[in-house]
Amino acid sequence: DFATRVTDSGKTDTALRGDYRHVQPDFTIDQGWDAYSSADHALWRTLYDRQSALLPRYAAREFLEGLTRLDVRDGIPDFRRASDVLDRATGWILVAVPGLIPEREFFEHLAARRFPVTNWIRKPEEMDYLVEPDVFHDFFGHVPLLTHPVFADYLQAYGIGGAKAIALNGQEHLARLYWYMVEFGLINTKDGLRAYGAGMLSSRGETQFCIESPSPHRIGFDLERVMRTQYRIDDYQQTYFVLDSYEQLMNATAVDFTPLYARLRSLPAIGPTEVLASDRVFTLGTQGESHKAA
Ligand code: PHE
Ligand code: FE
């Protein structure tokens, strides 16, 4: 049941906001670019300007370079035009969807280097927080890094791994890897920690929080550690995991997960604020700040 897909918004009821009446069997739709109002485009520009002003201080260089290359500051992007840019960069294209889609179809799109992007935009009163991903989260958050060759290859490998996880009943563990490393990943650079995850980079509050706040833990990436760690979906993260490079993520996940899923089943989950003796701690959080996102 796709409403229980937890890799993105964690929404668990079936009352999804998009219009699913005209979906193809693979859950894609026409973007309907001509139907956006001038208010929709203006809202995109406001979100874009606000967020891009923060990025030089907080975002990974590769994300910024991808965003610049996409050239989408003027309004909600036409996915066909953006797909041309992306295809030239890494061979990925974008497909429009009405919102969250079933896990199996989501994985199939990624495995074929198609990134599903929600076509609708949030309401003005939802500038700072919304429950389901919209076009701003999906596009602004996820697409820039898809211009990066290693990250682009990683996300395809993740999609291929998804079908296998379903067969091995490893979806919950695999979903944590998506959550922590695709939605909320940090990377260690010579200028300090930087954000590259879509979840924080599409949120004004969390973009600053994930780098500046003394509250969350920031812990070096370890595959099994990440896959054991529970997360919260209704607030800023209490723990972020830090990559040394995108290659590190690619290499660590290149192994066969079959024995890993078996082992993970016998290991207890780790709470979102726990720190282990084996952790490589970048910053030990106070867990003191009110994280509330909205
Ligand atoms: N290597 C994983 C497997 O064998 C697949 C995978 C790749 C999962 C990349 C996540 C990320 O199942
Ligand atoms: Fe997302």
Side-chain angles (χ1 to χ4, degrees), residues 128-129 203 205-206 233-236 290-294:
D128 292 312
Y129 184 75
S203 153
E206 196 155 5
I233 61 166
D234 60 342
D235 206 340
Y236 298 160
S290 165
H291 295 234
K292 205 57 201 164

Side-chain angles (χ1 to χ4, degrees), residues 172-173 176 180 224-231 263-276:
E172 194 181 349
H173 291 112
R176 291 179 183 148
Y180 279 116
E224 190 170 295
R225 166 67 158 100
V226 169
M227 292 176 85
R228 288 178 61 192
T229 308
Q230 297 163 322
Y231 54 82
R263 186 164 65 248
L264 285 166
R265 261 196 295 283
S266 68
L267 292 170
I270 301 168
T273 64
E274 267 183 72
V275 178
L276 307 183

